[in-house]
Amino acid sequence: MSLPAPAPSTTYTITELAREFDITARAIRFYEDQGLLSPKREGAGGRSRVYTPRDRTRLKLTLRGKRLGLALSEIKSLVDMYESPKDTRAQMDRFLGVLAQHRQTLEQQRIDIEMALAEISSHEAACARMLAELDDGALTAQ
């Protein structure tokens, strides 16, 4: 999940990041509230957020984790690991563990969905048979 960071002198506004990643400024503020982003504050009363390449990379990794279906707590844990590349093996082992757990959850959901779809098919077939019987009965009654 590590990405090359853009040039260190580059900064971004919340509007620029929202546009780049096709998300709302509100979503970015939410990720900030969750501790995934930590922009600098500038301007009168620190009202303007200024995002660094580090924040941009963290946002990109967060959105990638969301696409994988990971919980924000899992994403934060994984993204935080990449802050210090001291032990790449431990980071990769942790990431593999999270992915394996998520795969197991999705596999169980797939089984549950297949069972629900089979049950729906069974009910649909039963209803279709009953409707056909009703139609046949209505024809013979005429």
Side-chain angles (χ1 to χ4, degrees), residues 3-135:
L3 299 172
S9 62
T10 305
T11 59
Y12 309 90
T13 65
I14 196 167
T15 303
E16 289 169 334
L17 289 179
R19 189 176 303 123
E20 178 181 351
F21 292 105
D22 195 25
I23 59 174
T24 64
R26 182 177 179 195
I28 294 173
R29 287 190 295 272
F30 175 75
Y31 294 140
E32 182 182 338
D33 291 342
Q34 300 302 306
L36 288 157
L37 305 172
S38 54
K40 295 176 186 164
R41 300 296 188 127
E42 292 182 354
R47 294 177 52 92
S48 297
R49 292 169 167 86
V50 178
Y51 296 89
T52 63
R54 173 190 170 275
D55 292 312
R56 182 185 172 279
T57 299
R58 289 178 67 91
L59 179 58
K60 190 169 191 169
L61 292 172
T62 297
L63 295 174
R64 185 176 291 168
K66 290 298 292 174
R67 279 194 307 275
L68 288 172
L70 301 176
L72 283 180
S73 59
E74 293 172 314
I75 294 168
K76 183 171 182 344
S77 170
L78 292 169
V79 170
D80 286 347
M81 281 191 313
Y82 287 92
E83 288 297 308
S84 61
K86 293 177 185 171
D87 188 357
T88 303
R89 181 174 241 342
Q91 292 170 354
M92 291 298 172
D93 286 342
R94 169 76 175 117
F95 186 47
L96 284 173
V98 168
L99 290 176
Q101 183 177 3
H102 192 61
R103 176 184 295 280
Q104 183 178 7
T105 300
L106 290 174
E107 292 290 349
Q108 184 58 54
Q109 288 175 345
R110 180 179 14 203
I111 291 167
D112 294 343
I113 288 169
E114 287 172 358
M115 288 174 54
L117 288 171
E119 191 170 329
I120 287 170
S121 293
S122 172
H123 289 298
E124 286 174 334
C127 286
R129 277 193 309 275
M130 286 187 237
L131 285 172
E133 290 170 5
L134 286 173
D135 288 344

